[in-house]
Amino acid sequence: MSQWVFVYGMVSFVVTWIATRWLIRYLRKIGIVVKDQNKEGKPLVPLSGGMAVFSGFFAGLMLFLFVRTFIFTDVEGVAITNGNLTQLLAALSSVLIITLVGFLD
């Protein structure tokens, strides 16, 4: 079961990496860039990179929920009860709201 934790982390990493690379190109293409005030020469950098981080977090969490719900339902360890599921989905909705606020800001 502990190897699955590595799988969740790798899925989150790969999704974040791919989304970041795609999002940088896309945001530059549509012109959502700002000057980086902390670097010499003030290069233009894309804005709204938090969406890529959220996509990786979301993918890892959904994979965890899928595996715990449909594959390892009777395994000892992390038990997904209604209370735990409620807290997990509340955390997900909080992170989603924070991501949306950051995007709109």
Side-chain angles (χ1 to χ4, degrees):
M1 188 63 197
S2 63
Q3 69 271 14
W4 281 97
V5 174
F6 180 73
V7 172
Y8 306 142
M10 286 307 296
V11 166
S12 294
F13 172 75
V14 168
V15 169
T16 302
W17 186 55
I18 291 170
T20 302
R21 292 174 53 101
W22 176 82
L23 197 59
I24 287 172
R25 286 192 308 264
Y26 179 73
L27 291 173
R28 282 188 179 153
K29 180 180 170 183
I30 64 173
I32 301 180
V33 291
V34 295
K35 290 181 183 177
D36 188 349
Q37 299 295 327
N38 298 317
K39 291 189 180 149
E40 192 173 320
K42 301 195 187 316
L44 294 176
V45 294
L47 208 56
S48 303
M51 293 186 303
V53 175
F54 174 74
S55 66
F57 174 73
F58 182 78
L61 187 60
M62 288 298 116
L63 179 65
F64 169 74
L65 288 174
F66 176 80
V67 168
R68 292 298 298 172
T69 303
F70 296 112
I71 297 175
F72 296 115
T73 56
D74 297 331
V75 175
E76 295 290 326
V78 180
I80 299 296
T81 62
N82 286 341
N84 291 348
L85 185 61
T86 303
Q87 290 176 353
L88 205 55
L89 294 176
L92 179 64
S93 65
S94 298
V95 172
L96 175 63
I97 291 169
I98 291 168
T99 302
L100 290 174
V101 167
F103 178 72
L104 295 174
D105 184 39

